Amino acid sequence: MRGPLSTVVPLLSALLVSAAEAQERSPFQVGEIQTAPGQRSSGFLEIPEGVDEGTRVPVTVVHGREPGPVLGLIAGTHGYEYPPILALQNLRDAVDPRSLSGTLILVHVANMPSFLGRTIYRSPIDGKNLNRVFPGNPEGTVSERIADVLTREVIEPADVVLDMHAGDGNEDLRPFIYMPVTGEGALDREVRELARAFGIDHIVVDEAPDVNPEQSQFVDHTAISRGVPALTTETGKLGSTDRAWVAMAEEGVWRVMAHLDMVDREPERTEGVVWLDDYEVIASPATGLFRPAVEAGYAVAEGTLLGTLVDLFGDPVAEIRAPFAGVVNYVVSTPPVSEGEPLAMVSRVRDGG
């Protein structure tokens, strides 16, 4: 139904003013994906062939009508970690660019070779772990070329970066956050507040004061070394697509957007945080089968049996024990392991953040 002219004219004027403000704001470009204010666009970052085959990275840009920070969200760095991948698909349609302040860059699947190949940790093309080769190399293998493109097109243009993970297809994991600490007061305070905003109550303090920006290895360290606040989040386990893990990743992003004043929502801050540090990832001393004796989230004493490694005939090879008292962040709970692969991660409980 049409309203009276006295109602329609002010409404039309408001729409025209809003449209004019939006036009003053420049389009946002990621690779070949150009997005006007108040719009969303999806496309691919192309990773051309090099010393091995090429690939492509699916990306959505949600460019808010109003100015604000650029939030880079990267899922699928490890292709078997599904909850963040599904969460970003949901967020693509749920975030309204007309009411968004700032810009979202959603990297739906950073590592398409691993995703399509259903591989844990490493690419089936070059055998490399994408989250160990940043900032990448445009002349390197496919994982290094992916890292190079993501560094230039997503991480460096962002004001905040979340590298969104879950327990890989072999990992029983209790949700937690890696919170890099650099020793730079202002940056560390921003990162700490991001971690408190995301909504997970186990936070691992990751001491990383001397990251070389040209040998940063990890997504979050790549951002931090460039002065960009960043976190690595872990929400899910064992390649599960359980709705609870997907929702946890989604809600974390909404909470961060509220913290950054990108959406009309009251900011929240996680209380009762379990602060962890001095973490150790225990590698397998041999190839065989691992029989876990604990689950993720267990509190363990120094020397607690974490599991037993057996050979392919079932004969014991080694007992894997906790190196110190702390919390089990994750433990491998599918049998096959190769020498040098992770079996478990244990962190100490610390007083305060």
Side-chain angles (χ1 to χ4, degrees):
M1 180 188 299
R2 294 188 179 186
L5 187 59
S6 59
T7 301
V8 173
V9 170
L11 177 60
L12 181 59
S13 299
L15 289 173
L16 290 172
V17 168
S18 182
E21 290 174 348
Q23 287 175 358
E24 291 175 4
R25 190 155 143 70
S26 299
F28 194 90
Q29 186 149 348
V30 176
E32 298 300 316
I33 307 165
Q34 188 174 83
T35 310
Q39 301 292 324
R40 74 167 61 85
S41 303
S42 295
F44 292 92
L45 291 173
E46 299 293 341
I47 314 298
E49 291 185 3
V51 296
D52 49 20
E53 63 186 89
T55 186
R56 57 198 334 213
V57 177
V59 172
T60 294
V61 175
V62 185
H63 193 32
R65 186 183 295 276
E66 301 298 328
V70 176
L71 174 58
L73 305 172
I74 301 176
T77 303
H78 296 135
Y80 215 123
E81 298 176 1
Y82 300 136
I85 295 171
L86 299 177
L88 293 197
Q89 284 193 338
N90 294 341
L91 285 161
R92 173 185 180 270
D93 295 327
V95 177
D96 185 352
R98 296 168 299 180
S99 59
L100 179 70
S101 297
T103 304
L104 293 181
I105 308 173
L106 291 80
V107 177
H108 293 286
V109 184
N111 194 340
M112 284 293 288
S114 174
F115 177 71
L116 295 176
R118 294 188 174 91
T119 60
I120 63 170
Y121 301 140
R122 300 179 183 276
S123 168
I125 297 175
D126 61 9
K128 293 179 180 178
N129 184 334
L130 177 58
N131 208 28
R132 298 295 184 276
V133 300
F134 278 84
N137 177 1
E139 305 302 322
T141 63
V142 65
S143 295
E144 294 169 315
R145 299 198 308 277
I146 293 170
D148 170 66
V149 170
L150 291 178
T151 297
R152 290 186 289 103
E153 297 288 351
V154 179
I155 296 172
E156 291 180 345
D159 296 304
V160 173
V161 170
L162 301 182
D163 186 25
M164 302 178 68
H165 289 252
D168 219 321
N170 59 335
E171 293 174 347
D172 176 26
L173 178 145
R174 194 235 187 259
F176 67 96
I177 290 171
Y178 288 102
M179 185 185 77
V181 174
T182 67
E184 298 180 20
L187 180 58
D188 287 348
R189 283 191 294 274
E190 289 185 62
V191 173
R192 180 186 171 93
E193 290 309 306
L194 277 175
R196 295 293 292 267
F198 191 87
I200 296 177
D201 62 3
H202 278 52
I203 299 176
V204 176
V205 178
D206 180 19
E207 301 281 355
D210 299 318
V211 175
N212 181 340
E214 300 309 314
Q215 297 176 335
S216 48
Q217 293 190 305
F218 305 98
V219 169
D220 61 354
H221 287 189
T222 303
I224 287 289
S225 68
R226 287 154 173 76
V228 178
L231 302 172
T232 295
T233 64
E234 300 275 2
T235 55
K237 61 182 182 178
L238 292 168
S240 171
T241 59
D242 188 286
R243 175 60 195 163
W245 304 128
V246 178
M248 182 180 290
E250 283 182 58
E251 175 65 10
V253 173
W254 282 111
R255 288 174 58 120
V256 166
M257 287 193 292
H259 169 70
L260 297 173
D261 293 324
M262 298 177 72
V263 293
D264 185 15
R265 170 172 164 164
E266 192 68 26
E268 299 175 74
R269 193 169 184 266
T270 305
E271 304 298 336
V273 170
V274 178
W275 296 98
L276 304 165
D277 67 0
D278 197 23
Y279 66 88
E280 183 171 330
V281 175
I282 301 150
S284 181
T287 295
L289 287 75
F290 185 60
R291 299 175 177 172
V294 296
E295 295 180 7
Y298 273 30
V300 293
E302 181 179 350
T304 295
L305 181 68
L306 301 177
T308 303
L309 182 68
V310 302
D311 65 18
L312 297 176
F313 302 99
D315 294 327
V317 173
E319 290 185 341
I320 309 301
R321 296 186 176 274
F324 46 76
V327 173
V328 177
N329 299 104
Y330 68 78
V331 60
V332 167
S333 61
T334 59
V337 294
S338 296
E339 182 177 353
E341 285 186 349
L343 294 177
M345 173 181 166
V346 180
S347 296
R348 296 183 193 271
V349 179
R350 67 184 272 172
D351 294 328

